[in-house]
Amino acid sequence: MLFDELVGFPIYWEPLADSIPVRADGITVIPYNTTHLESLRKAFQKRHRATCFDAYCFLMESQDVRIAYSGDIGQANDLDPLLTGELDLLLCEIAHIPLQELLEKLRGQKIRKIVFTHLERGLWADRERVRREAKRVLGPIPFAIAQDGDEFPF
């Protein structure tokens, strides 16, 4: 739980809705539904109607920069709304879909840099294989695998 006195500033909670932009201080953030929680929704929503099973990816745009964040995705096509134009940076998880499926989706896209994050344990343990496979499939698209404390200028 986050409380004003805990973080030192007021928090204003706003509900998100698929494809409805949120604008503040020259930045537009557009949430897009992902399929990450679909299996849980199908299994539990009838019994837990008050529970939200929404998961989102996000496109963030300013006058000069386009950044996309995958959030948790359930399939590679969840990225489609983020890939409609050139991206300066894509922050993308690799925990919930197969590596090859994700890389094939990103191949040839207009992305200036990809930062992979939230790797599932097997991929994290074999990051060198992830690097080799990403280089083979992505070709000229620069990428990195994030670790705690990393900063990625773009």
Side-chain angles (χ1 to χ4, degrees), residues 135-152:
K135 185 171 178 60
R136 183 184 71 74
V137 175
L138 297 175
I141 301 174
F143 68 89
I145 298 172
Q147 298 184 66
D148 287 348
D150 282 351
E151 294 182 14
F152 298 97

Side-chain angles (χ1 to χ4, degrees), residues 29-117:
V29 178
I30 308 170
Y32 296 101
N33 283 332
T34 71
T35 58
H36 174 62
L37 298 176
E38 270 314 296
S39 61
L40 292 176
R41 180 191 321 272
K42 288 176 183 175
F44 295 104
Q45 191 166 37
K46 287 182 182 176
R47 289 180 286 169
H48 300 278
R49 293 190 187 280
T51 301
C52 179
F53 292 94
D54 293 340
Y56 295 97
C57 59
F58 298 91
L59 180 61
M60 296 157 275
E61 300 175 301
S62 71
Q63 185 174 5
D64 304 318
V65 178
R66 289 185 88 230
I67 298 173
Y69 171 58
S70 70
D72 285 340
I73 55 178
Q75 58 187 14
N77 288 342
D78 288 345
L79 298 175
D80 286 349
L82 305 179
L83 300 174
T84 58
E86 187 170 339
L87 292 174
D88 293 293
L89 179 65
L90 170 63
L91 301 166
C92 192
E93 68 104 343
I94 322 177
H96 304 289
I97 65 171
L99 174 63
Q100 199 62 36
E101 180 184 342
L102 176 64
L103 294 176
E104 290 298 332
K105 182 67 174 182
L106 298 177
R107 179 198 305 259
Q109 297 291 335
K110 294 179 181 180
I111 305 170
R112 291 190 179 147
K113 183 165 194 157
I114 300 170
V115 176
F116 294 112
T117 184

